[in-house]
Amino acid sequence: MGRQILVTGGTGYIGSHTVVELQAVGFDVVIIDDLSNSSAEVVDNIEKISGIRPAFEEFNLLDSVKLEAFFVKYSKIDAIIHFAAFKAVGESVEKPLAYYRNNLVSLMNILDSMSKYKIQNLVFSSSCTVYGQPDQLPVTENTPKKDAESPYGNTKAIAEEVLRDVVKVTPDIKVIALRYFNPIGAHPSALIGELPNGVPNNLVPFITQTAAGLRKQLSVFGDDYNTPDGSCIRDYINVVDLAKAHVVAINRLLENSNTERYEFFNVGTGTGVSVLEVLNTFEKATGVKVNYQIVARRSGDIEKIYADTTIANTVLGWKAETSLSDTLLSAWNWEKKIRKIK
Ligand code: UFG
C-alpha cells in the first residue's frame, strides 16, 4: 500500500480533483469532509475515475473529539492536505465570526493533531487574495502582502502567519502553502467539478449556468478598469493542473527536498486574462453564445492580478499545462453532464 495522505475537504471542488491525482500516482487517500458544501456522491465519482474508493469520514474539523478518534483509527498518515474551509467572499462579510472560527480553528486543530500524532507534513490551501491589489505585476512570492479585502481573505492571510509561527517552534513540522490564483474547469471525465450552492459568485460557473439556460444573463462587473478592454484581469488556473501541484508539494515534503520548513508558492499560469477574453474564449471553444451585459463594478474586486510562477516552475518543477480553451470546454462538459444537456 502507498503512503497515506489525509485530504480534508476532499469531496470539495479542488479537494476531489487532488484526491484523484494522488491516487493516480499510488497514494492511499483518506478524506475528512463535513459535506457542508459538497455531497457524498463525489466519493462514488472519484472511485469511478480512479477505480479506487478513498476512505471517507464525515465530520467537521471543529469537533476535536471526532478528530482525536479519527487519528486513533488512522494511525499511519504520512501527510495532510488541508482544504476544508468556507470560501464565499460575500458571505464572509456577512458572517465574519463563522469564517474566522471555521477556517482558523480547524487549522489549529489539525496542527495540534500533527504534534500529538507525529505527522510531519502539511500542504495548506492558500490564495492569491493575500496580495490584495498589488503595486507591481506579476506578483512573486515576495510581493508584499496587503490588507485582505474580506474576512475570507483575512482567514488565509492569518492562517499563513499561524503556520509560519508554529513551524518556527515545532521542528518536526514542515508546511507548504500553495497560493492559488483562480481555479476553473473540471476533470476531463466530467465526473467531478465545481458545484456551487445557489447563484454562483464566480465567473466561470456563472458563464456555464448561463450557457445552460439556468441564468438569463451574465453580468460583467465593470468595463472601465485600467485594462486593455476595461474588464478585470485574473490568472485562471485549470483545476487538474492545480491538483497536480499538490501532488508535487506532497512529494517534496515526503522526499525531504524542501529547503525551508515553511515554504509558499504561487500556483497560477502566469498569464492575465480579462473577463471579456474568458467569455470570448468560452464561446469559441464551445460554440455556445452567452447572453451578457456590462454592469457596474462589483465592490471589493481588484483590477488585475496574475502570478509570476518562476519559483513554482523551477523549485517545484511544476507548470500549468492546460490551455484556457480546453479548460473552459471541460467546465462546459461538466455543466452539460450535471444538467443532462446533450
Ligand atoms: N465576474 C463577473 N461576473 C460574474 C462573476 C465574476 O464579471 O458574474 C468577474 C469579477 O468581477 C472578476 C472576475 O470575473 O473580475 C473573476 O471573479 P471571480 O468571482 O470568479 O473570482 P475573484 O477573482 O473575484 O475571486 C477569486 C476567488 C476567491 C478569492 C479571490 C481573491 O474565488 O476565493 O479570487 O483571491 F478570494
Side-chain angles (χ1 to χ4, degrees), residues 37 87-91 99 194-210 214-219 221 298 335 339:
N37 194 21
K87 62 171 186 180
V89 176
E91 185 186 58
Y99 271 68
E194 192 170 7
L195 264 184
N197 245 334
V199 182
N201 295 310
N202 296 116
L203 178 62
V204 171
F206 209 106
I207 290 178
T208 55
Q209 289 197 9
T210 308
L214 269 82
R215 314 271 157 217
K216 264 212 179 95
Q217 194 169 51
L218 167 78
S219 296
F221 298 131
R298 178 171 72 176
E335 188 74 52
R339 308 295 167 203

Side-chain angles (χ1 to χ4, degrees), residues 295-325:
V295 302
R297 293 179 178 196
R298 178 171 72 176
S299 87
D301 267 344
I302 56 170
E303 184 167 88
K304 49 188 163 204
I305 186 164
Y306 49 96
D308 182 325
T309 58
T310 312
I311 297 187
N313 299 160
T314 53
V315 177
L316 286 182
W318 168 91
K319 205 174 185 329
E321 283 167 352
T322 317
S323 69
L324 180 63
S325 178

Side-chain angles (χ1 to χ4, degrees), residues 127-129 152 182 201-203 219-221 232 234 298 301:
S127 166
C128 70
T129 191
Y152 159 76
N182 287 54
N201 295 310
N202 296 116
L203 178 62
S219 296
V220 172
F221 298 131
C232 290
R234 296 287 183 274
R298 178 171 72 176
D301 267 344

Side-chain angles (χ1 to χ4, degrees), residues 9-48:
T11 58
Y13 174 42
I14 306 172
S16 58
H17 289 81
T18 301
V19 171
V20 166
E21 296 308 316
L22 287 166
Q23 290 177 320
V25 295
F27 286 110
D28 177 26
V29 180
V30 184
I31 293 172
I32 298 176
D33 202 303
D34 67 357
L35 303 182
S36 57
N37 194 21
S38 59
S39 83
E41 220 189 310
V42 175
V43 180
D44 302 336
N45 291 334
I46 288 171
E47 185 180 6
K48 278 184 200 151

